[in-house]
């Protein structure tokens, strides 16, 4: 009988299972958002994918927008033209459109390969693989103005006036590389250098002793 009484006491002393579980559970007042949560992670992944798709669609829409570019075919003097491409076009594709437009008027362009044509804007030579979308979205700058504006102002440096607004944009120059190689020691070609995305061109420079800001 004493053994039976001991068993009864042990049974009565054991806490209910629900009470045990409650003690081992999370405290409602403790922050748990940092802990792994499969449902939350799945929702976040789905949201990231949705935003990625929306960005891709918006980027494609912008790249398909038309872009009118005024340029000057440069053979020592300027011959201004205007051509339309898309914002997603590369500089090489732009130069192909320029060649198609110019070849009827300029024999040198007609016999030139697109690879040998150069597009120089704001005193930097733009590589053929760069897109206008890249220049616009990154608000890229050249040595003498923005590379993301294609409205045109007269290049007043050629008018012997070194005072101008920083945000002025000049007509980019299209020229044959052979012309550049022959004349790169003469202004304005002496100012040109290859575009480098890592280089900042915001600092003022001087021409004939005048500071250009």
């Amino acid at each position: 009988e004493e053994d039976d009484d001991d068993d009864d006491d042990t049974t009565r002393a054991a806490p209910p299972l629900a009470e045990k579980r409650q003690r081992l559970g999370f405290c409602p007042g403790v922050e748990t958002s940092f802990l792994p949560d499969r449902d939350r992670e799945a929702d976040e992944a789905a949201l990231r994918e949705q935003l990625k798709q929306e960005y891709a669609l918006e980027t494609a829409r912008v790249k398909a927008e038309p872009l009118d570019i005024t340029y000057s075919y440069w053979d020592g003097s300027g011959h201004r033209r205007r051509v339309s491409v898309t914002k997603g076009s590369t500089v090489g594709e732009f130069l192909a459109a320029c060649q198609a437009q110019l070849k009827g008027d300029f024999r040198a362009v007609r016999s030139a390969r697109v690879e040998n044509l150069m597009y120089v804007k704001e005193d930097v030579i733009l590589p053929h693989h760069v897109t206008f979308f890249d220049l616009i979205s990154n608000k890229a700058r050249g040595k003498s103005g923005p590379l993301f504006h294609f409205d045109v102002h007269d290049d007043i440096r050629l008018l012997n006036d070194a005072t101008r607004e920083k945000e002025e944009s000049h007509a980019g120059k299209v020229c044959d590389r052979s012309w550049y190689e022959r004349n790169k020691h003469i202004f304005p070609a002496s100012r040109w250098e290859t575009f480098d995305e890592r280089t900042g061109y915001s600092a003022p420079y001087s021409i004939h002793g005048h500071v250009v800001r």
Side-chain angles (χ1 to χ4, degrees), residues 159-178:
L159 303 177
N160 298 319
D161 183 354
T163 306
R164 60 176 178 76
E165 295 290 334
K166 268 189 177 182
E167 290 305 314
E168 281 186 354
S169 177
H170 312 110
K173 295 176 176 63
V174 172
C175 73
D176 188 276
R177 184 171 293 277
S178 61

Side-chain angles (χ1 to χ4, degrees), residues 102-193:
L102 294 167
K103 64 182 181 181
D105 298 326
F106 301 95
R107 181 180 300 177
V109 177
R110 186 163 57 247
S111 60
R113 299 174 60 185
V114 173
E115 292 81 0
N116 292 330
L117 294 178
M118 297 168 49
Y119 180 46
V120 185
K121 183 161 174 61
E122 311 304 343
D123 287 332
V124 294
I125 303 167
L126 293 172
H128 284 211
H129 69 272
V130 171
T131 70
F132 293 99
F133 176 81
D134 293 334
L135 299 174
I136 294 168
S137 59
N138 293 327
K139 295 190 180 298
R141 294 194 64 85
K143 293 174 66 176
S144 55
L147 297 173
F148 53 91
H149 287 171
F150 299 94
D151 53 331
V152 173
H153 302 264
D154 288 329
D155 191 341
I156 61 176
R157 295 168 304 161
L158 301 180
L159 303 177
N160 298 319
D161 183 354
T163 306
R164 60 176 178 76
E165 295 290 334
K166 268 189 177 182
E167 290 305 314
E168 281 186 354
S169 177
H170 312 110
K173 295 176 176 63
V174 172
C175 73
D176 188 276
R177 184 171 293 277
S178 61
W179 180 92
Y180 169 69
E181 294 296 337
R182 292 193 307 270
N183 296 278
K184 60 185 178 182
H185 61 290
I186 303 171
F187 182 84
S190 60
R191 287 284 311 161
W192 302 348
E193 62 184 63

Side-chain angles (χ1 to χ4, degrees), residues 2-120:
E2 289 181 0
D3 291 342
D4 291 342
D5 289 342
D6 291 341
D7 291 341
D8 290 343
D9 291 342
T10 302
T11 302
R12 285 195 298 272
L17 181 59
E19 183 179 347
K20 284 185 178 180
R21 287 179 177 173
Q22 185 174 4
R23 290 176 182 174
L24 295 174
F26 295 114
C27 176
V30 174
E31 174 62 37
T32 60
S33 60
F34 63 91
L35 296 174
D37 185 318
R38 290 183 179 180
D39 291 338
R40 184 178 67 243
E41 291 173 354
D43 290 342
E44 291 174 350
L47 179 58
R48 285 194 298 270
E49 182 62 26
Q50 178 185 345
L51 293 175
K52 180 179 177 180
Q53 292 178 4
E54 290 176 355
Y55 176 78
L57 289 172
E58 178 62 15
T59 299
R61 184 191 67 79
V62 173
K63 286 184 175 182
E65 291 178 349
L67 179 65
D68 294 330
I69 300 176
T70 299
Y71 69 95
S72 181
Y73 172 60
W74 193 261
D75 57 1
S77 59
H79 309 276
R80 189 163 291 189
R81 297 288 190 276
R82 188 177 183 87
V83 71
S84 182
V85 293
T86 64
K87 292 180 179 178
S89 298
T90 64
V91 168
E93 291 168 340
F94 159 74
L95 288 170
C98 293
Q99 184 187 43
Q101 189 179 61
L102 294 167
K103 64 182 181 181
D105 298 326
F106 301 95
R107 181 180 300 177
V109 177
R110 186 163 57 247
S111 60
R113 299 174 60 185
V114 173
E115 292 81 0
N116 292 330
L117 294 178
M118 297 168 49
Y119 180 46
V120 185

